[in-house]
Amino acid sequence: MTTKKLNPGSYMNPYLSGVLLGLVLLTAFYVSGRGLGASGAIKSTIVTAVDAVSPSHVENADFYAEYMESHPKPMKSWLVFEMLGVLVGGFISGALSGRLKLKIEHSPKITSRRRLIFALAGGILFGFGSQLGRGCTSGSALSGMAVLSLGGIITMAGIFGTGYALAYFVRKNWI
Amino acid sequence: MKSRLILAGFLIPLALIIAAVPSNTTRAYRLTADQLLQEAVSYEPYVHPDNVADMLIQKDPSLILIDVRTPDEYDKFSLPGAINIPLADLLSDEYLDILDQDENTNVFYSNGTLKSNEAWMITRQLGYENNYVLQGGLNYWAEVIMNPVPPAQTSPDEEIAKYNFRKGASMALGGGAETNTAASAVPAKPVIKKKKEKKRVAGGC
Amino acid sequence: MGPLAAYDIISPDTNLLMAFLIGIGFGFVLESAGFSSSRKLAGVFYGYDTVVLKVFFTAGITAMLGLLFFSLFGWIDLSLIYINPTFLTSAITGGVIMGAGFILGGFCPGTSFCAASIGKIDAMVFIGGLIIGIFVFAEGYPLWEDLYKAKFMGIPKISEALGLKDGLMALILVLVALAMFWVGEWAEKKFPREEY
């Protein structure tokens, strides 16, 4: 052991977590015939919110109209329920491990403000990209790999490849 | 290091097994034996030649006649517009889209009803809808449509209307001039049952 | 025979309940593994913490092998599983933009929810960003609709693209993943970081 990690004992062995996550994913396939996902839940929420504020906009704009056509009840979607579960599950695990704490996590070399600005920018980019890519890491990459989907692997390569390519330029934020 | 080795120790043998074993391509039965028996002894699988003749004359695009006899017999004679799916090849992948669908009305026929019944039983048990059997097969078709027997003068109007229809049909299908058919004499044609959405639909991701 | 929802063994409403339960499992495992920390997540790009690599690929191959074995035993009908269709152009561009988002923000949607649930404010801000980003996409949709729908390829499988049997493809991916785990451990020793 050459690195001193924060709370080394309280995080689960990564390989064990991986196997458990794989089993959760397998359960999703077996029970519901689909893999996991995340960004779609936010999309549903946005469509619902826009519909509540301005139904005519929803009818006129292609994006919303196409979505409402195939999902007349956007909030009653598998992903929305799944993400609610994620919130609960994460909370329980955090509570059991004593990691519940309201804080802004950042490298000691940068300020909180900088971290939040980058978090916002990252979120905007990721949100936009997830719609283009028809999925995020959970949906496209992870679930895609499990079913040997070529599209999933391509998106995954895009995500990680770009991450590595840009890592040097934002290294101050992390290391 | 230890957990990696344990993991590898599990994954590699499993992966080797899965790579070596041929994949399972069986299609599961969707109906139980009871359900199938119930449908088989009812009149549900059957379509009367009058219906088929009417659909042919009206040029109904949803009708697909499927000849389940051998290619030789099909070449010698087949009903207008019929395609040939020999019974032995029924489960081949190339016919899956024709047999498992919800837009057309497929009608199996053979000389009698033996082969067409068998085709119906197998496809029905796999859960496919909208497949039917031509009642009586080609033998009955020839009797009823091609050479209809004129009813006695004292028969009810319905019988006479039916006969007129059949005469007209045989002329139309034999290549003769189209005649007006008595619509009331033709029993209702089978309803196309919509397939339930099988693939899970995800709300984006 | 699975998938249970496709064969109507469970009702659509039960399916939603199952989604909730599966989500709980998902969130729990993610948090336990440390995916609620953006610094651990970003670590894979610098080598100091390759937990992303290990968990991600272990999960992927576990589920992959699981599906193939289930299919072998006749417990699941693989043709009924929903797979995202592949649109080549948007798959690549979307991936690149997401990669930028990942290295800047340090999260992906799933992990951001997980982190937000234990109180990480940067995760909540990230989610705010997600909402803005998706909204921008929605509003400007006509501008990129063509790109979004370009080069439709259906649902190709990697095994098909390489002309291999599914099982063989799985074996190769398992070996590749294991190799990456060894590289990951090496990287962690080579690029250690003190406290994070």
Side-chain angles (χ1 to χ4, degrees):
Chain A
M1 279 288 288
T2 51
T3 49
K4 186 181 127 198
K5 293 197 173 95
L6 194 64
N7 295 328
S10 57
Y11 284 131
M12 199 193 285
N13 176 305
Y15 301 110
L16 177 61
S17 317
V19 170
L20 290 176
L21 182 57
L23 293 178
V24 169
L25 181 55
L26 185 62
T27 308
F29 280 122
Y30 181 71
V31 170
S32 309
R34 54 155 304 145
L36 302 171
S39 52
I42 306 178
K43 180 181 177 179
S44 301
T45 318
I46 292 178
V47 174
T48 314
V50 171
D51 192 37
V53 167
S54 164
S56 57
H57 186 59
V58 166
E59 278 168 34
N60 296 331
D62 281 344
F63 182 81
Y64 302 104
E66 276 175 26
Y67 191 69
M68 289 297 266
E69 228 185 286
S70 44
H71 305 85
K73 277 206 205 157
M75 286 316 265
K76 215 179 162 194
S77 87
W78 199 91
L79 286 172
V80 169
F81 279 77
E82 185 216 1
M83 290 318 278
L84 290 173
V86 167
L87 289 175
V88 171
F91 183 82
I92 296 177
S93 170
L96 289 177
S97 320
R99 283 192 283 269
L100 287 181
K101 191 169 168 196
L102 212 58
K103 72 172 191 179
I104 301 173
E105 188 189 10
H106 61 91
S107 155
K109 297 183 186 154
I110 62 170
T111 63
S112 300
R113 210 178 75 134
R114 185 178 161 111
R115 170 82 191 107
L116 289 181
I117 294 175
F118 273 91
L120 186 67
I124 296 176
L125 282 172
F126 211 111
F128 188 89
S130 72
Q131 292 309 295
L132 254 189
R134 288 180 178 78
C136 60
T137 47
S138 329
S140 217
L142 184 63
S143 311
M145 193 202 316
V147 294
L148 295 173
S149 155
L150 186 63
I153 296 284
I154 291 176
T155 303
M156 185 171 82
I159 296 176
F160 284 99
T162 311
Y164 276 106
L166 297 178
Y168 176 77
F169 302 101
V170 294
R171 65 195 185 285
K172 289 216 187 66
N173 289 340
W174 304 111
I175 57 175
Chain B
M1 186 66 174
K2 195 155 165 237
S3 33
R4 266 181 293 162
L5 289 176
I6 298 176
L7 189 70
F10 269 107
L11 291 177
I12 295 186
L14 287 175
L16 284 170
I17 295 175
I18 208 79
V21 170
S23 50
N24 187 350
T25 49
T26 50
R27 268 172 251 176
Y29 277 160
R30 306 287 295 274
L31 263 61
T32 62
D34 286 324
Q35 287 169 316
L36 187 66
L37 181 62
Q38 236 184 342
E39 283 195 31
V41 301
S42 71
Y43 284 112
E44 279 189 52
Y46 294 102
V47 174
H48 196 274
D50 286 340
N51 287 125
V52 176
D54 185 53
M55 283 162 67
L56 282 171
I57 292 168
Q58 312 276 15
K59 294 203 200 301
D60 188 332
S62 72
L63 173 70
I64 302 204
L65 286 165
I66 302 181
D67 191 325
V68 295
R69 301 174 300 162
T70 63
D72 286 334
E73 295 174 282
Y74 171 74
D75 287 332
K76 262 201 264 173
F77 172 78
S78 60
L79 291 180
I83 60 174
N84 181 222
I85 300 183
L87 186 61
D89 301 333
L90 190 69
L91 296 177
S92 151
D93 280 335
E94 58 180 297
Y95 303 124
L96 185 57
D97 288 328
I98 303 175
L99 297 172
D100 183 18
Q101 49 76 44
D102 60 354
E103 280 158 18
N104 303 314
T105 306
N106 294 331
V107 179
F108 296 123
Y109 73 84
S110 49
N111 290 327
T113 51
L114 185 61
K115 285 204 179 130
S116 38
N117 268 338
E118 287 173 350
W120 181 85
M121 294 275 284
I122 295 174
T123 52
R124 187 71 195 103
Q125 194 155 23
L126 286 172
Y128 306 163
E129 308 258 15
N130 306 309
N131 297 317
Y132 299 91
V133 174
L134 180 66
Q135 198 168 355
L138 287 176
N139 296 336
Y140 189 50
W141 171 273
E143 214 182 283
V144 157
I145 300 291
M146 291 291 126
N147 306 302
V149 176
Q153 288 295 351
T154 50
S155 300
D157 285 338
E158 208 185 272
E159 291 286 328
I160 298 180
K162 240 195 247 180
Y163 169 69
N164 283 333
F165 164 71
R166 288 173 183 171
K167 272 277 326 179
S170 91
M171 276 168 51
L173 297 173
E178 291 202 2
T179 54
N180 261 339
T181 60
S184 57
V186 179
K189 74 171 195 197
V191 177
I192 295 182
K193 298 197 189 81
K194 278 290 162 197
K195 209 162 58 146
K196 280 182 291 210
E197 188 74 56
K198 277 219 292 185
K199 273 241 179 359
R200 294 257 84 230
V201 180
C205 193
Chain C
M1 170 79 136
L4 301 181
Y7 280 91
D8 290 326
I9 298 175
I10 59 170
S11 71
D13 287 337
T14 313
N15 195 18
L16 292 177
L17 175 65
M18 294 308 295
F20 182 68
L21 297 176
I22 289 172
I24 295 181
F26 187 23
F28 189 92
V29 172
L30 281 185
E31 206 288 323
S32 308
F35 279 33
S36 46
S37 156
S38 57
R39 298 193 70 207
K40 273 180 86 71
L41 289 171
V44 70
F45 297 109
Y46 300 98
Y48 64 81
D49 192 336
T50 52
V51 68
V52 167
L53 197 77
K54 294 176 203 167
V55 174
F56 196 88
F57 281 95
T58 310
I61 52 184
T62 305
M64 183 199 306
L65 286 174
L67 282 176
L68 289 173
F69 272 100
F70 271 39
S71 171
L72 189 66
F73 301 149
W75 293 346
I76 199 172
D77 185 349
L78 289 179
S79 66
L80 296 180
I81 292 181
Y82 176 78
I83 303 179
N84 264 335
T86 304
F87 288 77
L88 193 60
T89 322
S90 57
I92 299 176
T93 40
V96 167
I97 298 177
M98 283 194 270
F102 201 160
I103 194 72
L104 289 180
F107 284 116
C108 78
T111 51
S112 66
F113 268 72
C114 182
S117 74
I118 68 167
K120 294 274 167 72
I121 299 177
D122 48 334
M124 297 178 204
V125 168
F126 185 86
I127 295 176
L130 286 175
I131 295 177
I132 297 174
I134 295 182
F135 187 69
V136 165
F137 185 87
E139 290 301 309
Y141 189 56
L143 294 172
W144 28 77
E145 191 174 346
D146 290 331
L147 185 97
Y148 183 66
K149 295 185 178 165
K151 292 234 173 123
F152 177 61
M153 291 170 70
I155 320 177
K157 290 210 269 195
I158 322 170
S159 39
E160 282 167 20
L162 296 175
L164 299 169
K165 252 182 54 195
D166 283 354
L168 188 55
M169 191 72 238
L171 176 63
I172 293 176
L173 284 172
V174 166
L175 295 174
V176 166
L178 289 173
M180 288 206 289
F181 298 157
W182 258 263
V183 170
E185 295 284 355
W186 166 85
E188 278 183 11
K189 292 201 179 69
K190 186 130 195 299
F191 305 105
R193 288 288 169 269
E194 278 300 307
E195 196 213 278
Y196 63 93

